[in-house]
Amino acid sequence: MGTATGSAFDTETLRRGVEGDGNTLLSLYADDAEIRIVDHQSRPSSPKVLHGRGSIAELLDDVYSRDMTHKLEQCVVQGDHAAFTEACEYADGTRVLAESMITLRDGKIAEQIIVQAWDE
């Protein structure tokens, strides 16, 4: 399996990154990648926007420093787009569900939209 460009997205690296290591996950992002996050704090009309791997690294460092587990539940890759579901659980039992739609460029994540919700 591959894409027309010959640079297939590595879903196994995505799984390893999501489920355990922010640095592995960071390696999948293009240098100029952009993430938009929509949740109860960042509404669709004004999402939280991160530009570049530096900002994404800060987000991942924060997320992976928390006492929680992460599981990649589903991932679908179609050409230069992919979508995945991530289920997380804090040590106290609070759950988070995140849906991501990503645009790929040369096998790296160029753009990502994350819609997430958690127990409150």
Side-chain angles (χ1 to χ4, degrees):
M1 291 195 346
T3 63
T5 61
S7 296
F9 183 61
D10 190 342
T11 56
E12 193 47 48
T13 300
L14 177 68
R15 179 179 302 281
R16 284 199 319 272
V18 164
E19 295 186 355
D21 179 18
N23 287 327
T24 298
L25 193 52
L26 184 64
S27 74
L28 291 171
Y29 288 89
D31 289 342
D32 62 346
E34 178 179 285
I35 296 179
R36 285 182 289 155
I37 301 171
V38 174
D39 56 28
H40 73 288
Q41 294 172 323
S42 304
R43 303 293 183 198
S45 58
S46 58
K48 179 175 183 176
V49 181
L50 304 174
H51 295 284
R53 284 181 73 182
S55 295
I56 294 167
E58 289 176 18
L59 171 72
L60 295 177
D61 286 347
D62 176 44
V63 168
Y64 285 92
S65 70
R66 300 178 192 187
D67 188 8
M68 63 191 307
T69 60
H70 308 264
K71 183 168 182 8
L72 182 67
E73 293 199 326
Q74 296 183 45
C75 182
V76 177
V77 181
Q78 175 91 38
D80 61 357
H81 290 90
F84 64 92
T85 302
E86 181 179 354
C88 308
E89 187 173 353
Y90 283 90
D92 67 2
T94 300
R95 292 177 181 266
V96 183
L97 187 67
E99 291 283 340
S100 287
M101 176 63 73
I102 59 179
T103 302
L104 303 167
R105 186 178 65 234
D106 300 323
K108 298 282 190 185
I109 299 170
E111 295 177 5
Q112 179 175 10
I113 300 171
I114 303 170
V115 178
Q116 61 184 2
W118 52 89
D119 292 336
E120 296 184 76

